[in-house]
Amino acid sequence: MDGLLRVLDETAVNTLGGADIALAIEDVEEVVRLMRKGETQMPAENAIDLATPLGKAYALPARVGGRFNAAGVKWTAHRPFRPDALPAALAVTLINDAQNGVPRALLASGALTAARTAAVSALALKLAAPQAIKRVLVLGYGTHAQAHLRMLKQVFPDLAETGVWNRTRDKLYEDASVTCECDLNAALAKPYDAILSCTSADQPLIDETAVRPGRIIVQVGYHEVSFAAIRACCKVVVDAWGDFADRSAKSLFQMYRAGLFHPHEVDADLCALLLDGWRAAPDDSVYFSAFGLNVFDIALAARVLQAAESTGTGTVQSLFDGVFHDHRS
């Protein structure tokens, strides 16, 4: 069906397994193997300013081979100040066939992004944590934090405690399955094995006093972890190190651009964790920085698209014959 573009909204993406953490973990693991084989490509992002104050839009292209066989670009608009009720981050992914370049689909990508991010954090907790995870503290209660809470229930069902801290606490009291932490410093002082920081904070929430032997700090958001905290950790692990270090607002990359961290100080990445068996010592303190690799976004979108094509899900539109056709499945 060359020249036909399939459009999948968030409901369709979710129905086809786009939010399934277990499937996302399988995708991420397969892509890491393809990365090692040289069967992926992931250029640096491109960004433009939006008229909305502090708003930016980012293009994240990638190509991935194997069972995914897709090239694509994720296009995300970040809108800190907005006049509508839509999310602050709006993302769509365009998928092309990697062999012939023909566009195949346009997918809403909010659920895909959250699932991909939580899948990487799951691998960090499994493979980079110094000790078996029994107690986890989640910072935040937005889209990514809630995806991480779902991931913990799905991947780590036997946790002794899951704590949640958020600046706005009223939402948390409705969830009886978590410990609602009202004071961040008091929560960080408790014996949590892992801290999952899933906020949009542009100033550090976590300083060096939160670093302790046997604990892993996983940074999902922007600038939640201080340079001093990163420096205090025994081991620094990343999903990957790339050109994005020159632009990203992540704490580690800000530290790098300030001349306070060098790439050779990275102890491991996802390839080392999954393929080389790198592990931290039980008494290490570990900092894991998750940039969010666009090659994972394309892989997840390609897997959902394959399911959509096999089930006839979505709206299919002709692009290149000069006539617009709407084929609703």
Side-chain angles (χ1 to χ4, degrees):
M1 294 197 302
D2 288 351
L4 298 180
L5 187 78
R6 189 175 299 271
V7 179
L8 300 171
D9 61 17
E10 286 284 7
T11 299
V13 169
N14 285 332
T15 300
L16 295 166
D20 189 305
I21 305 297
L23 292 177
I25 291 173
E26 292 178 4
D27 294 339
V28 169
E29 290 177 339
E30 177 62 20
V31 172
V32 170
R33 288 189 285 270
L34 293 170
M35 290 169 66
R36 175 63 64 85
K37 294 177 181 178
E39 297 182 24
T40 65
Q41 186 177 3
M42 188 174 59
E45 69 182 33
N46 284 304
I48 59 171
D49 295 326
L50 299 177
T52 301
L54 303 180
K56 287 184 178 294
Y58 300 86
L60 295 159
R63 177 186 59 80
V64 58
R67 62 183 169 91
F68 305 104
N69 184 37
V73 60
K74 178 181 173 184
W75 179 249
T76 303
H78 288 283
R79 312 170 315 137
F81 303 99
R82 54 203 186 278
D84 51 56
L86 293 172
L90 296 174
V92 295
T93 299
L94 175 66
I95 294 293
N96 294 61
D97 187 286
Q99 299 300 318
N100 58 32
V102 173
R104 292 172 56 196
L106 185 68
L107 301 87
S109 300
L112 291 172
T113 301
R116 173 264 287 165
T117 306
V120 171
S121 295
L123 292 174
L125 295 181
K126 282 185 172 183
L127 304 176
Q131 300 180 12
I133 299 300
K134 298 178 182 178
R135 292 176 172 82
V136 180
L137 173 65
V138 178
L139 307 186
Y141 205 66
T143 299
H144 283 292
Q146 292 184 46
H148 278 70
L149 289 170
R150 292 195 300 272
M151 175 272 288
L152 293 173
K153 290 180 180 180
Q154 186 173 355
V155 183
F156 301 91
D158 298 324
L159 288 176
E161 183 178 14
T162 301
V164 179
W165 172 87
N166 190 50
R167 284 194 177 94
T168 304
R169 298 193 297 273
D170 55 339
K171 298 178 183 178
L172 303 184
Y173 294 115
E174 300 175 1
D175 191 341
S177 68
V178 302
T179 300
C180 299
E181 301 286 3
C182 298
D183 184 277
L184 177 58
N185 291 329
L188 292 172
K190 292 175 64 174
Y192 286 110
D193 307 300
I195 311 297
L196 301 178
S197 189
C198 307
T199 79
S200 58
D202 58 3
Q203 295 297 322
L205 302 170
I206 300 172
D207 63 21
E208 64 271 25
T209 62
V211 177
R212 61 184 58 190
R215 171 181 281 181
I216 184 171
I217 297 172
V218 179
Q219 182 179 356
V220 174
Y222 293 99
H223 188 31
E224 301 125 310
V225 183
S226 72
F227 296 170
I230 296 172
R231 181 59 62 196
C233 289
C234 298
K235 298 292 189 295
V236 173
V237 184
V238 297
D239 48 8
W241 190 281
D243 295 340
F244 41 80
D246 294 319
R247 303 182 184 182
S248 172
K250 297 279 186 178
S251 300
L252 183 66
F253 301 133
Q254 288 196 42
M255 189 175 177
Y256 158 69
R257 292 194 298 274
L260 301 174
F261 186 88
H262 193 277
H264 76 255
E265 296 180 85
V266 172
D267 293 280
D269 58 14
L270 283 178
C271 283
L273 293 175
L274 282 164
L275 305 180
D276 302 330
W278 184 94
R279 297 293 183 268
D283 59 348
D284 279 341
S285 50
V286 177
Y287 166 74
F288 185 96
S289 177
F291 171 71
L293 304 183
N294 33 320
V295 71
F296 298 153
D297 292 305
I298 301 306
L300 267 66
R303 185 250 301 164
V304 168
L305 171 58
Q306 290 166 5
E309 291 173 338
S310 67
T311 58
T313 303
T315 300
V316 181
Q317 301 172 346
S318 300
L319 290 179
F320 301 116
D321 61 359
V323 179
F324 177 86
H325 300 289
D326 188 354
H327 310 267
R328 294 189 179 270
S329 301

